[in-house]
Amino acid sequence: MPYTTILRDERYVFADLREVFAKANEEKSGDRLAGIAARTDRERVAAKLVLADVRLSEIAAQPLIDGEQDEVTRLLWDSQDQETFRRIRSLTVGEFREYLLDDATGEIELRALRQAILPEMAAAVAKLMSNKDLVLAASKIRNVTRCRNTMGQRGVLGIRNQPNHPSDDLGGILLAAVDGLLFGCGDAVIGVNPATESVDTVGAVLRGLDRLIEASGAPTQACCLSHITTQLGCLERGVPVDLLFQSVAGTQAANASFGISLATLREGRERVLESHRQRDVAWVGDQVMYLETGQGSALSADAHHGVDQLTLEARAYGVARALDPFLVNSVVGFIGPEYLFDERQIIRAGLEDHFMGKLLGLPMGCDVCYTNHANADQNSADNLLMLLAAAGCNYFMGVACADDVMLNYQSTSFHDAAGVRQLFGLRPAPEFAAWLEERGIFQNGQLALNTAPPQQRLLERVVPILEDMEIAR
């Protein structure tokens, strides 16, 4: 059914709810590439006015992608908490925004609603929020998860230690990981993106990271961010898998382009859980998935069904929610300027992603990043980093000098992590913080200025690992 409004004596007509959603979205180069963006700022405002008056019950009654064609739609609608939804179904999107921003609405109220909120509803309200609104609403929410340690509490900022190497040299990976540990980075995960997609390479990386964690005593988890089938192939060979990684998207067709389905993800999760039960490790929780997303992935796979990239990103979070993950992060600027053109669009998307994921109950992190051909720089990355820290982001990336030499993009550094923790009075995960204090890397909750003694002790533990693997230099 069409939606209409009049703005300054000009009548705007939108064919259906899908068009309202697309044209109410903030400016994104990806939506323009798909041919679904608002043609003018005035049309965008008109679409926002229409969207503000749409009731949540209307969104629930009109899936933007037909469930008969898409298993993600079926998952989202089948898993909605209908009883709780009755409390808010009569609200318009504009009223829902006011409720979320109301000082009387706190974490307890928002936690109670998370299973009642469809991802499309989270996307709709995000389109009506300013950047400040997105920060304020997200800052109310804390989603805590547990694997080898505990992530997400108020006052905690985790860091993924990302020691990628262009040739998957294990010595280089482990030494870069130690560098990160000495800056207090790695409580979220020590996660490596492999340059080579093979069971042999991924298995060697996972075994090396497991040896490093065992030798150092660091209470954290390892992950090698290869395809889920490669990691499960490693598991069949007895390789330890702490977290099972996969990129996910918001449509069945986009996930198929990744070589996955919902069944694949569920089966992988169960197999890793079973392996955890058989390992002699002091797990503090059973959340074993690490999932990554990013606005534009469905469009790049020609699997967007005419739906805007923000809404599809929210749907990806619905997929993630069904898997009870330990970590989720938006790799916000990695996909390139075809989808997020410049720093303004990247910052906006990062705040939207974090808010929507948190609202839906996810442990959201963000890779604050950009590619070298985007209209962005490290100052714009710093801006998003600080905004997301204020919003209560669970974790960021830690990359040596903020320059990933394997993926060839710019992210955030170990130094950035230390600076943001100091600026906002944040600390690492509690178990990891205690380990840092015991090793002398932190003193009284702060990064120690003189790290030479702990550095030497850690290296003394790592060198035998390298020698055992015949890769010592």
Side-chain angles (χ1 to χ4, degrees):
M1 95 179 172
Y3 292 81
T4 65
T5 191
I6 297 175
L7 182 63
R8 291 189 176 182
D9 298 326
E10 188 172 355
R11 188 168 183 262
Y12 292 87
V13 180
F14 305 98
D16 53 23
L17 200 55
R18 184 185 305 177
E19 185 178 3
V20 173
F21 267 62
K23 293 189 173 179
N25 202 18
E26 289 295 302
E27 176 76 12
K28 304 283 174 61
S29 55
D31 292 336
R32 192 162 296 284
L33 180 65
I36 61 175
R39 291 163 292 184
T40 65
D41 287 338
R42 185 173 293 184
E43 186 179 32
R44 181 175 296 106
V45 171
K48 287 178 184 287
L49 288 172
V50 169
L51 184 60
D53 289 334
V54 172
R55 297 195 181 278
L56 300 185
S57 57
E58 290 180 64
I59 297 174
Q62 302 180 57
L64 302 185
I65 300 175
D66 188 351
E68 292 185 3
Q69 304 173 21
D70 188 271
E71 67 174 357
V72 172
T73 298
R74 295 195 297 273
L75 168 71
L76 302 179
W77 262 252
D78 290 348
S79 59
Q80 185 186 22
D81 181 348
Q82 295 290 340
E83 182 176 349
T84 303
F85 181 56
R86 293 192 187 98
R87 305 180 201 169
I88 59 173
R89 69 185 313 275
S90 64
L91 293 179
T92 65
V93 177
E95 290 168 342
F96 187 41
R97 171 187 174 274
E98 295 302 314
Y99 175 77
L100 295 176
L101 295 172
D102 193 322
D103 289 343
T105 304
E107 186 173 2
I108 294 174
E109 291 79 10
L110 296 179
R111 184 182 299 116
L113 288 177
R114 60 178 57 163
Q115 293 296 329
I117 301 171
L118 289 169
E120 281 82 346
M121 297 170 188
V125 74
K127 295 170 189 290
L128 301 185
M129 288 185 163
S130 68
N131 287 5
K132 173 180 59 64
D133 292 341
L134 295 168
V135 171
L136 178 59
S139 70
K140 298 182 180 186
I141 307 167
R142 291 296 182 275
N143 298 321
V144 178
T145 56
R146 296 174 177 85
C147 187
R148 283 196 184 191
N149 60 18
T150 308
M151 290 292 303
Q153 304 101 315
R154 196 168 295 276
V156 168
L157 174 61
I159 304 295
R160 170 186 159 188
N161 188 333
Q162 185 172 308
N164 294 343
H165 193 281
S167 64
D168 293 324
D169 179 83
L170 193 52
I173 288 171
L174 294 180
L175 289 173
V178 169
D179 188 24
L181 290 173
L182 292 169
F183 279 95
C185 298
D187 48 346
V189 63
I190 303 177
V192 174
N193 298 87
T196 303
E197 182 74 40
S198 75
V199 172
D200 288 341
T201 297
V202 172
V205 171
L206 285 171
R207 289 189 187 280
L209 294 179
D210 185 65
R211 289 287 307 278
L212 173 62
I213 290 172
E214 180 183 359
S216 66
T220 188
Q221 36 282 317
C223 185
C224 193
L225 285 71
S226 62
H227 193 269
I228 185 172
T229 55
T230 306
Q231 297 165 80
L232 293 177
C234 293
L235 194 65
E236 291 175 358
R237 295 185 182 183
V239 176
V241 175
D242 293 347
L243 294 178
L244 184 65
F245 168 82
Q246 183 57 49
S247 295
V248 296
T251 70
Q252 179 178 338
N255 283 324
S257 75
F258 292 160
I260 61 169
S261 65
L262 298 182
T264 305
L265 294 167
R266 292 187 183 111
E267 179 187 354
R269 177 177 179 272
E270 290 305 314
R271 288 175 62 182
V272 173
L273 279 170
E274 178 60 30
S275 75
H276 278 209
R277 287 188 281 269
Q278 297 172 3
R279 289 172 60 189
D280 184 20
V281 175
W283 309 106
V284 300
D286 58 1
Q287 287 156 315
V288 299
M289 299 295 288
Y290 174 16
L291 305 172
E292 283 191 347
T293 66
Q295 288 193 31
S297 59
L299 173 58
S300 68
D302 193 23
H304 59 94
H305 299 277
V307 178
D308 66 275
Q309 62 186 42
L310 168 61
T311 303
L312 293 176
E313 181 74 357
R315 286 169 57 93
Y317 299 148
V319 172
R321 182 169 63 179
L323 298 166
D324 190 25
F326 180 68
L327 303 172
V328 178
N329 78 276
S330 164
V331 192
V332 67
F334 182 74
I335 200 166
E338 299 85 357
Y339 307 95
L340 297 171
F341 179 72
D342 56 16
E343 63 181 74
R344 179 178 178 180
Q345 293 186 16
I346 292 172
I347 288 172
R348 174 69 189 187
L351 297 178
E352 290 168 341
D353 294 353
H354 177 256
F355 160 75
M356 294 188 300
K358 279 288 190 69
L359 185 64
L360 294 170
L362 292 177
M364 286 302 296
C366 186
D367 189 347
V368 177
C369 62
Y370 59 97
T371 57
N372 290 315
H373 61 311
N375 189 7
D377 59 22
Q378 211 62 35
N379 285 328
S380 55
D382 283 351
N383 291 339
L384 179 55
L385 186 70
M386 290 184 286
L387 286 167
L388 284 172
C393 193
N394 278 30
Y395 69 101
F396 300 116
M397 305 300 116
V399 180
C401 301
D403 183 11
D404 193 302
V405 294
M406 194 283 283
L407 292 173
N408 194 29
Y409 79 121
Q410 310 306 308
S411 185
T412 50
S413 70
F414 304 140
H415 301 78
D416 293 331
V420 170
R421 279 173 172 165
Q422 182 178 3
L423 181 63
F424 288 90
L426 302 170
R427 60 190 184 279
E431 302 90 342
F432 195 79
W435 175 81
L436 291 170
E437 293 280 350
E438 291 169 3
R439 297 300 188 275
I441 300 169
F442 270 40
Q443 293 177 1
N444 300 319
Q446 300 292 326
L447 184 64
L449 294 178
N450 180 11
T451 60
Q455 181 181 40
Q456 182 177 352
R457 288 194 293 271
L458 267 183
L459 287 174
E460 288 173 353
R461 291 171 178 264
V462 172
V463 167
I465 300 175
L466 303 182
E467 291 173 342
D468 286 351
M469 298 177 178
E470 298 181 352
I471 55 176
R473 299 292 185 257

